[in-house]
Amino acid sequence: MIDEQVLDGLHPMDKLLRADRIPHIWCPGCGIGTVVYSFLSALIKSGLDLDKVAVVSGIGCTGRAAGYINLDSFHTTHGRALPFATGLKLGNPELKVVVFSGDGDLISIGGNHFIHAARRNMDIAVICVNNFTYGMTGGQLGPTTPIRAKTTTSPYGNTEHPFNLPYLAAASGAVYVARWTSLDARRTERAIGEALAKKGFSFVEVIAPCPTLYGNMNKMKTGLDQMRFYEENSVIRHGAEPKDVDITLNGQIIVGKFVDIEKPTYLDLRDNIGSIV
Amino acid sequence: MSEKSPLSGVFFMTGDTACAEGAISAGCRFFAGYPITPATEIAERMAERMPQISGTYVQMEDEIASMNAVLGASWAGVKAMTATSGPGFSLMMENLGLGIMTETPCVLVNVQRGGPSTGLPTLVAQADMMQARWGSHGAYEIIALSPNSPQELFFLTIRAFNLSEKYRTPVLIMTDEVVGHMTERVVIPPHKNIARYARRKPQVPPGEFLPYKGSDDLVPPMANAGDGYRIHMTGLTHDERGYPDTTAEAQGRLIRRLIDKIQTNKDDIIEVEEDQLDDADVAICSYGISARVALLPIEQARQEGIKVGLLRLITVWPFPEEHVRRVAKNVKAIVVPELNNGQIALEVERCVAGAARVIPVPHMGGDIHQPQDILDAIHRGAK
């Protein structure tokens, strides 16, 4: 059945997008838009009061998402989305605070903030689009770039070990950890929905193509090439040990829900001291 | 009034404690910080007091995070503050800029110690005065206040919050280790007698609101997250809708307004103390603890028959240019003692433009000036 909005010439997510800011800056074949769609679908299904949802981004291609989403949205400085989001959440605990940013932003320059927000079990849902590179600045080596992958600053192939993001998140204290690829748009939507419903620090990594830069330098020149790679190489393994879900250049991508536990949040613990103040 | 409410009465307090109580009296209900000498006592006081008054104290992983958390809390609608010293102040510069660009009210206290780098963690300096003015990248105006006692630190903290809310900008309190750690009489007025300014809220419904369109005073009203306005905030150069517009025209419009909203309201922002300047041949221009040290040499010089007066800068930024120029017309020399190698002295020279001699009295910090050094400079100026 064709959606009436499609007949009207509207995008089904128009109400949640700042349509006056379109066209967006993302390249053809980029996976970020797909993840934004999965996020907005999850939001609509969540039943949350959308006036009480705030989206916080850092800097980079993914960091631009906050600017296109028609909610209270904050485009902060590089790596700093999480501490800003922490202030926002503690300033008004009624808000549902979502951080939507990239791997370089959240895990390299923002890595310290990431582990500490997870350690505190701060009530924030984090969506991390991982394209293995710094897109905005032209395709440099990042904290998730697989060993041997070429980037503009690893022209002979990367010689650094990358972070395994689910392992990092789980070890730091996240209560919900999942990974999907942008090919799995519906599973990504469901995971984000679960992350939104979860109390505490939840983390969804979404592997996404960057055909212009990362793909182009690593023998996957189109978004479709990368999506085909995900189709052929991603393996669903719910409950996998996070330490076992490393990503290599041409190896399997283990996807699924890895962590879903209960633990008192920062606010739970803080509010418990009320009686002794 | 219960002990757990904002305090009032007469107390014997350190400057750092008075600063925390000033913040509470101003309506601050959020403090994010990271331990650093000699500002730690502000965080400790806030950790004790915030839970008593339904506020938030959160200890962040570093000063970068602290500054960001303060900005986030301010967008949630809460008056927010952080406090630090030299190395932490350096780390906060990036997101001080975000606060300026996004017009986020908040207060940042720097209890200055000797630098550069780790320098003198426990000892005084006033060497971050130019960093306060120019430390974040880009062109901007900043408001910075400098108290000379715990009592004044209490009142200036309230004033800092009021200015930050009124002009939608971060406000710096540039105090120092001596004022922060000295213990003195602090009178806290009844809570109802303290004037508190709250940010202006939009008067139009969502959809009609332009979050970055300045009012007559060039300051835009502010909608908080959760108010239903679905605002967008970005550190990128932006238009009146708050949307990125990275063009020369948008940059000119936005940065001009950010500068002008401080410059055109200077008379409201600038506060100085003028003492014995009417007949003065020599003026001392100083601020913070150094201005207080100067009181003794001024008295000694007067006893010797040298007519000396004091221009004490309570607001250091924006710089009180007109006050300095006015003083320069009537004196032979302006003596500028400060705990650095001559920072505010440069501003004084710029404003005086040769109308009087400017005699810096630099001291690298670690302790305060010897009054004799200032008296010697007065003697040179009186010649």
Side-chain angles (χ1 to χ4, degrees):
Chain A
M1 197 177 99
I2 297 169
D3 193 306
E4 279 177 27
Q5 282 183 321
V6 175
L7 294 175
D8 290 344
L10 295 172
H11 186 279
M13 289 301 156
D14 261 5
K15 280 185 181 165
L16 280 179
L17 291 171
R18 297 184 192 272
D20 50 353
R21 287 217 53 216
I22 305 297
H24 55 68
I25 61 158
W26 297 317
C27 303
C30 169
I32 299 169
T34 313
V35 187
V36 170
Y37 190 98
S38 295
F39 168 45
L40 297 181
S41 311
L43 261 184
I44 290 168
K45 290 179 184 169
S46 72
L48 290 164
D49 176 355
L50 296 179
D51 281 338
K52 301 291 180 193
V53 177
V55 181
V56 186
S57 289
I59 296 295
C61 289
T62 311
R64 290 300 184 96
Y68 300 125
I69 296 173
N70 192 17
L71 298 169
D72 284 324
S73 54
F74 299 91
H75 182 222
T76 64
T77 42
H78 197 16
R80 319 299 176 211
L82 272 165
F84 187 99
T86 297
L88 202 55
K89 179 67 188 176
L90 297 180
N92 181 359
E94 283 184 7
L95 297 173
K96 184 78 204 175
V97 180
V98 182
V99 166
F100 195 111
S101 216
D103 52 304
D105 183 75
L106 281 167
I107 307 299
S108 184
I109 189 166
N112 195 35
H113 308 311
F114 181 81
I115 60 174
H116 285 278
R119 171 181 66 79
R120 294 184 187 102
N121 200 17
M122 194 57 68
D123 223 323
I124 296 171
V126 179
I127 301 163
C128 175
V129 178
N130 180 3
N131 59 11
F132 305 114
T133 194
Y134 287 96
M136 185 71 86
T137 46
Q140 292 79 27
L141 171 69
T144 54
T145 308
I147 292 176
R148 293 192 293 112
K150 287 187 178 169
T151 70
T152 59
T153 51
S154 60
Y156 311 108
N158 175 28
T159 55
E160 292 186 14
H161 291 285
F163 266 130
N164 164 350
L165 301 190
Y167 190 29
L168 180 67
S172 304
V175 290
Y176 181 94
V177 179
R179 173 197 280 159
W180 295 99
T181 73
S182 64
L183 179 70
D184 306 300
R186 289 199 193 85
R187 292 184 179 111
T188 300
E189 176 199 304
R190 202 176 313 135
I192 292 172
E194 289 177 358
L196 290 171
K198 191 81 185 174
K199 279 182 68 186
F201 189 88
S202 55
F203 179 70
V204 179
E205 176 187 18
V206 189
I207 309 294
C210 172
T212 306
L213 299 161
Y214 180 79
N216 194 39
M217 285 182 276
N218 291 287
K219 297 179 182 162
M220 284 183 279
K221 291 192 187 299
T222 69
L224 201 58
D225 290 341
Q226 273 176 287
M227 298 291 253
R228 193 170 295 121
F229 179 83
Y230 300 159
E231 187 183 18
E232 290 167 0
N233 293 280
S234 54
V235 178
I236 300 176
R237 200 173 292 158
H238 292 299
E241 275 294 321
K243 71 177 170 51
D244 297 331
V245 302
D246 274 317
I247 289 176
T248 56
L249 183 56
N250 294 312
Q252 285 184 336
I253 301 173
I254 311 291
V255 295
K257 180 163 73 176
F258 307 132
V259 176
D260 192 353
I261 58 171
E262 302 298 323
K263 195 166 74 174
T265 67
Y266 178 93
L267 285 169
D268 289 339
L269 292 172
R270 189 194 74 174
D271 293 346
N272 274 346
I273 65 164
S275 56
I276 58 167
V277 171
Chain B
M1 191 172 284
S2 93
E3 266 181 25
K4 294 187 174 180
S5 303
L7 299 177
S8 69
V10 181
F11 300 88
F12 193 52
M13 272 182 183
T14 66
D16 281 353
T17 304
C19 178
E21 290 300 331
I24 290 165
S25 291
C28 173
R29 292 297 179 271
F30 184 94
F31 183 95
Y34 186 84
I36 187 166
T37 307
T40 305
E41 294 88 343
I42 300 176
E44 288 174 339
R45 183 75 172 191
M46 288 304 225
E48 181 188 351
R49 295 281 282 135
M50 280 291 134
Q52 297 173 348
I53 52 174
S54 303
T56 298
Y57 168 87
V58 58
Q59 190 159 311
M60 298 303 288
E61 52 273 19
D62 57 30
E63 289 88 347
I64 301 172
S66 302
M67 188 68 216
N68 274 281
V70 161
L71 298 178
S74 182
W75 277 98
V78 182
K79 290 185 184 177
M81 179 170 98
T82 186
T84 189
S85 189
F89 196 55
S90 292
L91 287 179
M92 288 181 182
M93 287 297 115
E94 176 197 42
N95 296 288
L96 173 66
L98 181 65
I100 293 163
M101 191 63 151
T102 57
E103 301 180 70
T104 308
C106 61
V107 173
L108 193 176
V109 183
N110 180 354
V111 187
Q112 293 173 89
R113 68 191 221 187
S117 188
T118 315
L120 300 170
T122 63
L123 299 173
V124 68
Q126 295 174 306
D128 307 342
M129 301 308 293
M130 281 295 176
Q131 185 183 19
R133 176 65 187 87
W134 303 107
S136 198
H137 56 278
Y140 59 90
E141 284 287 332
I142 192 82
I143 300 174
L145 313 177
S146 180
N148 69 349
S149 68
Q151 178 72 72
E152 192 171 72
L153 182 44
F154 172 86
F155 282 122
L156 285 191
T157 307
I158 297 170
R159 182 165 164 75
F161 273 99
N162 287 342
L163 290 171
S164 78
E165 294 281 325
K166 188 171 184 182
Y167 295 109
R168 273 194 68 177
T169 191
V171 173
L172 307 178
I173 299 176
M174 298 298 291
T175 187
D176 58 72
E177 184 275 333
V178 170
V179 172
H181 279 166
M182 76 165 68
T183 305
E184 280 191 329
R185 185 174 190 265
V186 174
V187 180
I188 301 183
H191 197 57
K192 63 178 168 49
N193 294 355
I194 292 172
R196 278 174 291 275
Y197 192 97
R199 65 190 68 171
R200 286 199 304 267
K201 305 296 285 278
Q203 299 300 313
V204 295
E208 293 172 33
F209 180 49
L210 288 171
Y212 284 95
K213 183 176 167 53
S215 308
D216 292 344
D217 61 356
L218 304 177
V219 183
M222 185 168 176
N224 302 325
D227 282 354
Y229 282 85
R230 301 203 181 176
I231 42 92
H232 181 57
M233 180 216 91
T234 178
L236 284 166
T237 297
H238 44 270
D239 62 19
E240 291 179 341
R241 296 172 299 177
Y243 291 0
D245 182 352
T246 49
T247 61
E249 292 73 24
Q251 173 79 354
R253 266 196 310 275
L254 175 62
I255 305 307
R256 188 76 259 160
R257 182 174 63 75
L258 293 184
I259 289 172
D260 286 351
K261 78 173 177 180
I262 306 297
Q263 282 289 332
T264 59
N265 293 298
K266 268 198 312 197
D267 289 347
D268 182 46
I269 297 167
I270 289 176
E271 193 180 359
V272 300
E273 181 193 342
E274 294 176 309
D275 186 39
Q276 304 184 79
L277 284 171
D278 290 346
D279 64 345
D281 294 320
V282 175
I284 303 274
C285 177
S286 191
Y287 53 94
I289 192 61
S290 297
R292 191 160 166 183
V293 174
L295 296 178
L296 179 64
I298 289 171
E299 192 184 317
Q300 289 168 330
R302 283 264 165 190
Q303 280 167 5
E304 293 171 16
I306 305 170
K307 290 170 178 162
V308 188
L310 174 67
L311 174 64
R312 183 166 72 89
L313 311 179
I314 298 170
T315 305
V316 177
W317 306 117
F319 195 69
E321 297 177 347
E322 296 307 319
H323 296 84
V324 172
R325 285 198 187 105
R326 214 158 45 230
V327 169
K329 280 183 195 158
N330 299 316
V331 297
K332 287 194 279 193
I334 301 183
V335 172
V336 188
E338 51 186 335
L339 295 174
N340 56 53
N341 195 36
Q343 296 187 4
I344 295 305
L346 295 173
E347 277 296 285
V348 174
E349 278 177 359
R350 178 179 70 80
C351 297
V352 167
R357 280 174 67 204
V358 176
I359 304 174
V361 191
H363 177 41
M364 298 313 160
D367 59 9
I368 52 180
H369 285 86
Q370 291 296 321
Q372 186 62 46
D373 293 341
I374 300 172
L375 187 61
D376 291 347
I378 292 170
H379 288 153
R380 290 203 300 280
K383 275 180 190 162

